[in-house]
Amino acid sequence: MKTKILIILLAVFAFSFASCEDTKKKEEEKAKMEQQEAERQAEMAAEEERMEMESNSIAAKAMETDSLSTLVSALQNADLADTFTEDEGPYTVFAPTNSAFEKVDEATMDELMKSENQDQLATVLKYHVIDDEITASDLSQMIEDGEGEASISTLDGAELKVMREGDNIVLQDENGNKATIIATDIEASNGMVHLIDGVVMKKKES
């Protein structure tokens, strides 16, 4: 009788143990599936955020603006289009319009747009970029604080001067040439764009 009871107890224990193991396994599988779903949702959200950012990026804004088609071509030639599409920045870009590029000597532009001069073109374009977000109001305040003139460092470490001429905010490059800001505060997901009517150039090293 005792043996029979013992066998029954062992059977019950074995069944209970197997049932617990099965429940534990199901819970682990459920937790794993929930984690995978959470990761999938997070990846989808990140991808949507990335697509949203890129569709409103500095590069995207430039592509949407007819008067910046030469700048877009230059960014592509200099292999910088992805930088202003994918990088979070923030950047401030003083974007020369098509008419601004037309003021540059044709031979100089043709030379810059050649594939073998990609680095030189990139240097020119980076001279129009600040590694920070600066609004027109910020520029005005900088000029006021500098008692009429302020210096800002460009993406490649060179200097641009910013000043007022009448009601306009004007950039002056290292060669003394000037470009006027003709449209301000075009907001992008990774920074700010201001349109200028000239191409600024850093001083060539002698």
Side-chain angles (χ1 to χ4, degrees):
M1 185 69 179
K2 286 182 179 180
T3 303
K4 189 175 180 181
I5 293 172
L6 182 60
I7 291 170
I8 292 171
L9 288 173
L10 287 172
V12 170
F13 176 76
F15 177 80
S16 298
F17 180 77
S19 179
C20 287
E21 283 295 304
D22 188 53
T23 301
K24 184 179 178 183
K25 188 176 179 181
K26 286 180 179 178
E27 288 176 351
E28 287 176 349
E29 288 177 353
K30 182 181 178 183
K32 185 178 179 180
M33 288 177 66
E34 288 176 347
Q35 183 180 349
Q36 289 175 339
E37 178 62 19
E39 289 173 355
R40 190 179 72 84
Q41 292 290 344
E43 287 174 2
M44 287 176 61
E47 179 64 13
E48 286 177 8
E49 186 176 340
R50 182 189 67 79
M51 291 175 66
E52 177 71 16
M53 192 275 280
E54 291 185 3
S55 67
N56 290 289
S57 65
I58 289 169
K61 296 288 184 182
M63 287 182 214
E64 292 169 2
T65 307
D66 291 340
S67 63
L68 296 180
S69 58
T70 304
L71 175 62
V72 171
S73 295
L75 287 170
Q76 291 168 342
N77 281 19
D79 199 24
L80 289 175
D82 286 348
T83 298
F84 299 109
T85 300
E86 299 171 1
D87 283 11
E88 293 183 3
Y91 299 108
T92 296
V93 176
F94 298 108
T97 61
N98 293 346
S99 57
F101 278 106
E102 287 170 5
K103 295 177 184 178
V104 179
D105 178 69
E106 188 176 347
T108 300
M109 278 302 300
D110 289 344
E111 196 67 19
L112 283 171
M113 296 294 268
K114 289 180 180 178
S115 58
E116 61 264 31
N117 294 326
Q118 185 182 81
D119 291 344
Q120 190 178 345
L121 177 59
T123 297
V124 171
L125 295 175
K126 287 178 181 178
Y127 191 51
H128 294 76
V129 182
I130 312 300
D131 192 11
D132 194 8
E133 185 171 291
I134 303 174
T135 64
S137 177
D138 293 332
L139 290 170
S140 295
Q141 188 62 53
M142 290 164 66
I143 294 168
E144 185 179 331
D145 293 344
E147 297 182 353
E149 185 180 291
S151 290
I152 48 180
S153 295
T154 62
L155 192 59
D156 63 349
E159 294 292 316
L160 267 178
K161 287 183 179 177
V162 56
M163 59 195 72
R164 274 203 176 276
E165 289 189 356
D167 294 330
N168 297 320
I169 297 176
V170 174
L171 304 177
Q172 180 176 293
D173 65 20
E174 294 177 343
N175 300 295
N177 298 315
K178 294 179 179 179
T180 301
I181 298 178
I182 56 176
T184 63
D185 295 348
I186 301 168
E187 294 184 24
S189 58
N190 54 350
M192 191 72 63
V193 180
H194 308 291
L195 305 190
I196 58 176
D197 68 353
V199 176
V200 289
M201 300 273 192
K202 64 187 293 187
K203 198 167 186 177
K204 289 184 179 180
E205 295 179 5
S206 55

